[in-house]
Amino acid sequence: MILKYKTIVALLFFTATIISCDVDRLPETTVSDESFWKTENDLKSAANYFYSRFAILPVTSDIMSDDAYGSFPDAISDGSRIAGSTDDNLIYTYKYDYTTIRAANNLIEKSTIALSSGVLEQNVNWYVGEAKYFRAWSYYQLLQRYGGVPLILKTLTENSPELQAPQASREEIINAIYADLDDAVLKLRTATQLGTENYGRISQTAALTLKAQVALFEGTRAKFHGYGDPIKHLTIAKNASYQVMNSGQHRLFNNYFQLLQYEGEGFLNKENIVVKQYGKSITENTISHNSQRTLELGGSNPTKALADSYLMTDGLTITKSPLYVTPTKTAEVFINRDPRMGARFLKTGDPYITSTPVFTVPNLGFTKTGFANRSYANMADWTNSNSYIDQPVTRYAEVLLIYAESTFELNNSISDNDLNLSINLLRERVSMPKLTNAFVAANNLDMRTEIRRERRVELALEGFRYWDLIRWKTAEIELPKEVLGSFFFTEFGTSSIPLLNEENFIITQRSTTRKFNASRDYLWPFPNNEIGLNPNLKQNPNW
């Protein structure tokens, strides 16, 4: 079956009460746990629960970074947050991830019941592989935020001593993630084997890609923060990404804008590696989102910093290119720019909403930066207040970017051949000139900067930027800066003039109200209630 959420809604309550309770207490239920795990369908039903754990659209986490600004200041972005009693206001929480981990532990352990009941070992392995993927994924979310956390690889009872386990080290968490993903690769099916019927389930290349993601994060974080063994992790990132590239399972979709549209959905789009799927229509509205309306009202407005990162069509920045002409109106901002900018920013002439079929100028009452987010824009969905466009959680484009960055960071250099295998495929899709060592040298560019720029624009407004700043140790440089938006063109009108700087750019937040404590903010604070439940859980430094 296609893994649309209509296939799991009826099972969600049952599965959640059986396998996704908090780590500190088992639920009481009238259904015997052991009686549930005897068929392949039982395992599939339990594994389906994991797919509900991906965050629901729209992606607004970029407001934690310098790429986007919401309707008001973000406490993580501007450094004003405090260690709270809980973290329930966040997209992912400490408790949320351990709920997923417990569900994975339970499926892995109970799979032996299915084996003893006659389910084929190969078929059991498919769902064990999915559980190991999601256990690794959950520990990766925890590692990014908190660093070392308690490592729990079995289902606990209310009396288990592990409920008060201290943090494991970063290396122990990373090694557990690698072990889970290596085993998952052996157990899972390829994307081709999953086919249309099982499209959306986790594949071998999904597990390899997560391994590459984790390894790049830890390898670059170790390199720029000065700890651990960055060469080990960067080598793993390069090798895992190359395995995906060499698998023959994936290729780039032919239209960048349509990646976040209905045209980009389904098995025929080989760029999609992991996808958050939604219903099909209003009549099959099992799960939907309302991204366009949320973004229209200012959920995640692109900043000047992001806008300026897009190159001109000659491959040079707006400060170096002879093609750049100072714009006199909003439409001119997009002239001779990397086409990916116009795919993620609304511009004059784009289809918009029912009441305004053609976009003209951003509404500064909602769009605080003067730049409007075009992600998932669809007029019919806006009219219906429901969208069913799937979210590509992991795209093959990211694999190419991981390969390029890990290759460069291993040796502080990258060959033109490796650029052609990776970044230049992304540029070819949007008819941008190739990145070469000769071009970098001739134009006094920096290769690391250009590789990072490519990642920024290719994955723009998909939720990556904050964690990139964290691993590169540049958050302390970028986040305290003043948050600027568009030039204030006369088209915006004079009925409500925003705060402007001396160059007439919109100021959405002054630098005087922003800070980043490098001795504290590269790790998140553990929720105080979790420390109360586990006295061996030590708060991160300076929180």
Side-chain angles (χ1 to χ4, degrees), residues 32 47 85 115 168 192 194 198 207 302-303 312 372 404 478 480 493 497 514 523:
S32 169
S85 58
L115 282 172
T192 299
L194 288 169
N198 288 293
T303 62
M312 304 299 291
E478 303 301 334
I497 299 176
R514 298 177 63 83
L523 292 174

Side-chain angles (χ1 to χ4, degrees), residues 81-150:
R81 65 176 163 168
I82 59 174
S85 58
T86 69
D87 56 4
D88 291 340
N89 61 325
L90 300 173
I91 296 172
Y92 294 115
T93 67
Y94 184 86
K95 179 179 178 180
Y96 186 97
D97 284 317
Y98 275 109
T99 299
T100 310
I101 288 165
R102 187 184 193 283
N105 289 342
N106 202 35
L107 189 153
I108 292 165
E109 291 172 9
K110 296 304 191 305
S111 66
T112 58
I113 299 173
L115 282 172
S116 64
S117 299
V119 181
L120 292 176
E121 182 177 6
Q122 170 190 263
N123 297 23
V124 171
N125 283 344
W126 295 340
Y127 306 109
V128 172
E130 290 182 22
K132 291 201 169 187
Y133 173 92
F134 280 99
R135 184 166 70 178
W137 175 78
S138 296
Y139 272 117
Y140 178 42
Q141 309 302 314
L142 291 165
L143 179 82
Q144 286 181 302
R145 299 195 299 274
Y146 305 108
V149 293

Side-chain angles (χ1 to χ4, degrees), residues 257-479:
F257 171 71
Q258 290 178 353
L259 287 167
L260 306 187
Q261 298 293 315
Y262 288 110
E263 293 88 343
E265 290 189 352
F267 180 69
L268 294 179
N269 179 359
K270 301 301 183 182
E271 184 164 348
N272 288 337
I273 296 177
V274 178
V275 180
K276 168 88 172 181
Q277 295 189 93
Y278 288 84
K280 292 183 177 180
S281 64
I282 289 178
T283 57
E284 295 185 64
N285 186 9
T286 52
I287 183 171
S288 63
H289 60 92
N290 204 355
S291 290
Q292 185 172 4
R293 290 209 174 202
T294 301
L295 298 174
E296 175 203 356
L297 296 175
S300 184
N301 308 301
T303 62
K304 181 179 186 293
L306 175 60
D308 288 351
S309 67
Y310 287 90
L311 298 170
M312 304 299 291
T313 52
D314 59 4
L316 295 173
T317 65
I318 59 175
T319 59
K320 287 179 175 286
S321 174
L323 296 177
Y324 182 75
V325 177
T326 302
T328 60
K329 54 185 178 180
T330 56
E332 293 175 357
V333 172
F334 300 92
I335 293 176
N336 291 326
R337 300 295 287 275
D338 184 330
R340 288 173 289 190
M341 185 180 188
R344 294 295 163 90
F345 288 55
L346 278 164
K347 57 193 181 299
T348 301
D350 285 336
Y352 190 36
I353 61 179
T354 306
S355 56
T356 309
V358 179
F359 186 79
T360 54
V361 180
N363 181 343
L364 296 184
F366 300 131
T367 310
K368 302 297 186 182
T369 64
F371 290 120
N373 192 327
R374 197 184 180 193
S375 301
Y376 301 97
N378 180 285
M379 196 180 303
D381 289 350
W382 185 92
T383 302
N384 294 328
S385 294
N386 282 293
S387 179
Y388 310 98
I389 300 173
D390 291 345
Q391 177 196 3
V393 177
T394 305
R395 299 194 278 117
Y396 182 57
E398 187 187 353
V399 174
L400 301 180
L401 292 164
I402 291 171
Y403 180 79
E405 186 178 350
S406 58
T407 298
F408 178 83
E409 295 299 348
L410 275 168
N411 303 301
N412 293 320
S413 65
I414 184 171
S415 69
D416 286 349
N417 182 60
D418 281 327
L419 288 169
N420 288 336
L421 288 174
S422 54
I423 282 176
N424 287 332
L425 295 178
L426 303 176
R427 292 193 169 197
E428 181 181 353
R429 167 163 61 184
V430 291
S431 300
M432 286 290 288
K434 286 186 174 182
L435 179 64
T436 67
N437 282 279
F439 184 83
V440 167
N443 292 283
N444 196 28
L445 303 176
D446 174 72
M447 183 62 79
R448 175 181 286 137
T449 299
E450 296 312 306
I451 290 173
R452 291 181 177 182
R453 181 199 309 280
E454 194 69 23
R455 180 178 175 89
R456 186 178 193 177
V457 301
E458 175 66 31
L459 303 177
L461 304 173
E462 294 184 50
F464 290 88
R465 177 66 174 174
Y466 173 79
W467 295 112
D468 288 342
L469 296 178
I470 292 297
R471 63 189 178 89
W472 294 331
K473 206 176 184 296
T474 55
E476 63 200 71
I477 299 169
E478 303 301 334
L479 293 185

